[in-house]
Amino acid sequence: MSDLPDVDELLDAAVRALNGTRRDGQATMARSVAAAIDSREHLVVQAGTGTGKSLGYLVPALRHAVAANATVVVSTATIALQNQLIGRDLPRLTEALEPLLGRRPVYAILKGRRNYLCRYRLSQAATGPEEAELFDPHLLSSLGRQVRRLHEWAEETLTGDRDDLTPGVSDLAWRQVSVGANECIGPQMCPVSDDCFAELARAETIGADLVVTNHALLAIDAVQGYRLLPDHDLLIVDEAHELVDRVTSVATGVLSDRSISLAAKRAAPVCDVELTERLAETADGLALMLADTPPGRLDHLPDPLATAVAAVRDAAHACLSALPEPPRDDPHAASARRLALAGLEEVHRTAERILLCVQQPLRDRQDVVWFARGARQTPGLRIAPLAVNRTLRQALFTERTTVLTSATLALGGSFDLMARQWGLGPLPDHDPAEAAEPAETTATPSAEPSPLRWRAIDVGSPFNHARSGILYIATHLPPPGRESLHPEYLDEMAELIEAAGGRTLGLFSSTRAAVHAAEELRERLPYPILCQGDDSTGHLVQQFAADEATCLFGTLSLWQGVDVPGPALQLVIVDRIPFPRPDDPLASARQRAIGAQGGNGFLEVAATHAALLLAQGTGRLLRSVHDKGVVAVLDPRLATARYGAFLRASLPPYWGTTDPQVARAALRRLHEAASRAA
């Protein structure tokens, strides 16, 4: 590797080509990634907003790929971030580095098979929707129009990638023309395999220097055992704070009357009719048992419900046992069997997993079961792992060097909490809330089967948070109530927004609170107030950014998904500390399990969840070095509760105050300055 320029020279060339500015934190990150590659130790990098962390890891990654003739995998939190790297960053970067590396690095994007149109499935889509309940003429008419569009698009698209379809189609329509990895009949049997978009995308990863994927596909590769990613000796996980949730989501099973009915319908063409009818009847039985079941965690299943789940398991097993092998020269029969097999296996596996879980003593359980019902989710039983650290340890850290990076990783001043969740191993026993705030941490855990060598570093941020932002905690307000917003909170918001002249992003702990605040304050204030749910989130953010007087209120996706630099955003309001709900099944079970093992369940689950969201939410304020403003947290517990110090140590280092007059005066000055500049 000595024949190539070092990372500093490569980074300078990249920054010049991209018309950027050299940042010390970015250079430190690039050198640290290069050192981790050489030493084969895992690296955790906290890189604050504005650091330019993409270049900080891409430059050393591409250097390593070219020098070692190896493949590097970069995993991002979302497909949108994948597209950003592929469409914006990598084309310019590889062109800039080509003269120094001796050739232009080759990169490719890889998404899950479900993201690509399946030509063979498309040819079968005219048979109608699989979802048996869709007999509404309007829905069927709309679905038909969308599927016809997909037929037309299939003749012109070069990628078959759903993200290249504009405008998009509904999830229901897309499901008619796509297959998951467990539903595909494979290139040997498929009559259109030579034109398979998913296989073509995978072929482009062969021999690529860098492959960009997403956490969901990484999780499928890790949890479900599919070999989806090319062999690689370096993995970079961007937005690593979201990794545990994405892997947990993939590992979560759902058992509902809808999933059972769909499995029975898929099995009907290839299985004995009596067996599939029996399976369909168990869907009705499960729905009947769940009708009177309150939502929430189920540490034990009532006997009638357990009997219903066992009936589902047994009926699915009977269908699986009776599935015939298809003729080798009949792709239609093979496809029908494959679809049936995927649905039946999922139903059987989930039912069996639920029954095995509830039969174990609480202290021995690795999963948690709950019943979920709501407007945005199908009613059904769900089962999820209490932890995914063992899975991640085996999948990410045993055979390759892994770099994990995000703007938010050091919680309470320590990287230990996140490291344990990822499976980097047991760390020195201490309370992270009492830890200092080291710039760098090195640890060599002693977990079985072998110790993992890793180190963590905070490369800081180019923003001067203490000079550019104020963290105002409204200690004079009462603690937040469980349901609606207290009138004093609405008064406080009104005064702050008035001082700011609009320009406010309101981050709320619930949709009910966001809607309540928007409705009340629209009556009091002269500024436009948008609320999540009024339109698509992307459109709302565009409207918010375009008009400096506008305010935007919303919930979870806005805590992490808003990037509005400039005077359109000078006030971020947080209504309360975003702890998980006390009745959240997964969080409460994880908290209990950690406590049973002698750990601090509140700190490692509830406080960690709140710290990550608070850090992400308050990070919406400063998006460029010129931004200034106020973060107003209305929940006084951030200053008064014992855990407040831990949460504050997880936030960017804003200058702090509890004086409302100071906060409002600062906002008025910013408003006046912005008005003069306009």
Side-chain angles (χ1 to χ4, degrees):
M1 297 183 71
S2 59
D3 294 337
L4 296 178
D6 61 25
V7 292
D8 282 298
E9 184 176 346
L10 293 172
L11 183 61
D12 286 341
V15 170
R16 285 196 301 271
L18 273 62
N19 297 318
T21 302
R22 181 181 175 87
R23 300 167 180 136
D24 292 340
Q26 186 182 64
T28 300
M29 179 177 181
R31 288 193 292 267
S32 297
V33 173
I37 295 170
D38 291 342
S39 64
R40 297 185 178 182
E41 69 176 354
H42 306 300
L43 178 68
V44 178
V45 184
Q46 177 165 282
T49 303
T51 301
K53 61 182 170 64
S54 295
L55 283 186
Y57 62 70
L58 287 174
V59 167
L62 290 173
R63 181 182 188 275
H64 167 70
V66 171
N69 193 27
T71 296
V72 175
V73 170
V74 174
S75 180
T76 67
T78 64
I79 289 175
L81 289 174
Q82 270 186 280
N83 293 334
Q84 176 182 308
L85 288 177
I86 291 291
R88 189 188 72 182
D89 297 343
L90 282 167
R92 295 184 295 170
L93 176 60
T94 53
E95 181 181 6
L97 296 185
E98 181 179 6
L100 296 171
L101 294 178
R103 65 174 177 84
R104 180 173 295 195
V106 178
Y107 56 88
I109 187 170
L110 186 62
K111 305 175 185 179
R113 186 173 290 272
R114 181 70 74 182
N115 288 95
Y116 299 99
L117 182 143
C118 172
R119 290 189 184 276
Y120 185 72
R121 180 87 162 124
L122 181 71
S123 69
Q124 311 299 311
T127 59
E130 292 183 318
E131 285 78 351
E133 70 271 26
L134 284 178
F135 292 121
D136 183 296
H138 176 74
L139 289 176
L140 288 174
S141 176
S142 174
L143 177 66
R145 290 194 298 271
Q146 292 181 76
V147 172
R148 284 195 295 274
R149 267 194 64 217
L150 289 168
H151 276 275
E152 296 169 358
W153 181 66
E155 297 302 317
E156 62 187 45
T157 178
L158 298 177
T159 65
D161 187 337
R162 182 180 182 180
D163 292 299
D164 294 339
L165 175 64
T166 305
V169 296
S170 67
D171 289 344
L172 174 61
W174 188 256
R175 284 199 298 271
Q176 311 309 307
V177 300
S178 63
V179 296
N182 61 341
E183 299 167 337
C184 176
I185 60 176
Q188 294 78 21
M189 179 68 74
C190 183
V192 291
S193 60
D194 290 344
D195 295 320
C196 174
F197 292 118
E199 291 297 325
L200 291 172
R202 183 157 298 144
E204 291 186 4
T205 68
I206 299 174
D209 297 298
L210 190 141
V211 175
V212 182
T213 188
N214 57 73
H215 294 355
L217 187 63
L218 185 68
I220 293 170
D221 193 84
V223 174
Q224 298 180 356
Y226 295 105
R227 296 289 295 180
L228 303 175
L229 299 173
D231 290 336
H232 54 286
D233 66 351
L234 175 62
L235 170 66
I236 296 172
V237 182
D238 198 353
E239 300 301 315
H241 66 280
E242 295 195 38
L243 181 61
V244 169
D245 285 345
R246 299 303 171 102
V247 175
T248 300
S249 179
V250 168
T252 298
V254 180
L255 189 68
S256 66
D257 63 319
R258 180 176 176 178
S259 65
I260 300 165
S261 297
L262 180 57
K265 181 175 181 178
R266 283 184 168 188
V270 294
C271 192
D272 185 275
V273 63
E274 292 184 3
L275 295 177
T276 57
E277 287 180 351
R278 174 186 162 197
L279 179 60
E281 289 171 358
T282 67
D284 296 333
L286 180 66
L288 184 63
M289 292 300 101
L290 292 176
D292 296 325
T293 301
R297 192 178 70 224
L298 295 171
D299 290 335
H300 305 283
L301 294 187
D303 288 343
L305 181 55
T307 300
V309 175
V312 172
R313 176 199 61 189
D314 296 342
H317 182 266
C319 290
L320 284 168
S321 301
L323 281 182
E325 289 292 334
R328 294 190 176 183
D329 58 350
D330 189 345
H332 180 73
S335 177
R337 184 183 187 278
R338 189 68 177 171
L339 288 171
L341 185 66
L344 291 170
E345 285 183 337
E346 177 64 23
V347 167
H348 178 266
R349 180 171 54 248
T350 305
E352 178 75 359
R353 186 177 163 195
I354 290 171
L355 292 170
L356 289 175
C357 174
V358 297
Q359 289 168 4
Q360 295 176 319
L362 279 174
R363 64 179 180 278
D364 297 332
R365 293 184 187 177
Q366 301 299 312
D367 293 314
V368 56
V369 177
W370 72 96
F371 173 50
R373 175 194 287 134
R376 299 182 181 180
Q377 53 188 342
T378 302
L381 296 175
R382 282 162 169 74
I383 182 167
L386 285 169
V388 295
N389 51 2
R390 292 181 184 275
T391 299
L392 289 175
R393 181 186 180 91
Q394 180 62 34
L396 304 190
F397 302 117
T398 58
E399 297 180 359
R400 61 189 58 82
T401 300
T402 299
V403 176
L404 304 109
T405 184
S406 172
T408 309
L409 294 176
L411 303 181
S414 170
F415 293 93
D416 294 357
L417 284 169
M418 295 302 300
R420 284 201 291 274
Q421 290 189 9
W422 293 323
L424 278 173
L427 303 177
D429 187 17
H430 68 277
D431 183 356
E434 298 175 357
E437 299 185 34
E440 183 170 329
T441 309
T442 303
T444 306
S446 56
E448 295 296 337
S450 61
L452 294 177
R453 297 177 58 244
W454 67 280
R455 111 186 141 93
I457 184 169
D458 182 352
V459 300
S461 168
F463 302 160
N464 189 330
H465 289 85
R467 287 184 174 272
S468 301
I470 294 173
L471 174 62
Y472 161 55
I473 306 173
T475 53
H476 64 284
L477 295 180
R482 288 196 172 187
E483 299 298 331
S484 61
L485 286 169
H486 195 283
E488 291 184 46
Y489 279 50
L490 294 170
D491 294 340
E492 187 76 20
M493 289 183 203
E495 292 175 355
L496 289 166
I497 294 171
E498 183 69 44
R503 311 171 191 269
T504 300
L505 175 66
L507 302 177
F508 293 83
S509 55
S510 69
T511 301
R512 178 185 298 180
V515 171
H516 180 201
E519 291 175 347
E520 289 285 337
L521 295 179
R522 281 168 182 159
E523 299 294 324
R524 300 195 198 184
L525 298 171
Y527 310 109
I529 298 179
L530 309 174
C531 188
Q532 199 170 12
D534 294 344
D535 200 339
S536 71
T537 300
H539 191 212
L540 290 173
V541 172
Q542 289 177 358
Q543 288 182 267
F544 174 57
D547 181 6
E548 292 182 6
T550 297
C551 303
L552 174 59
F553 290 0
T555 55
L556 186 59
S557 62
L558 298 186
W559 288 72
Q560 303 184 76
V562 175
D563 186 8
V564 180
L569 173 51
Q570 294 186 331
L571 171 62
V572 174
I573 294 177
V574 176
D575 72 326
R576 64 187 299 159
I577 298 172
F579 290 121
R581 290 176 57 93
D583 58 355
D584 180 276
L586 184 55
S588 62
R590 284 177 166 173
Q591 192 166 321
R592 180 181 62 186
I594 292 170
Q597 297 170 4
N600 187 331
F602 172 78
L603 178 70
E604 298 207 22
V605 179
T608 294
H609 177 275
L612 281 172
L613 273 182
L614 271 177
Q616 289 289 314
T618 59
R620 300 307 96 198
L621 180 67
L622 304 183
R623 308 306 295 176
S624 78
V625 293
H626 304 294
D627 289 349
K628 296 180 183 297
V630 173
V631 173
V633 179
L634 307 188
D635 189 337
R637 295 175 298 175
L638 186 60
T640 60
R642 288 180 56 193
Y643 49 76
F646 169 75
L647 297 176
R648 294 195 304 276
S650 306
L651 304 182
Y654 299 112
W655 184 81
T657 184
T658 59
D659 188 338
Q661 297 297 335
V662 170
R664 290 197 288 268
L667 289 169
R668 281 192 288 268
R669 288 194 298 272
L670 290 173
H671 181 199
E672 292 167 2
S675 299
R676 288 195 299 270

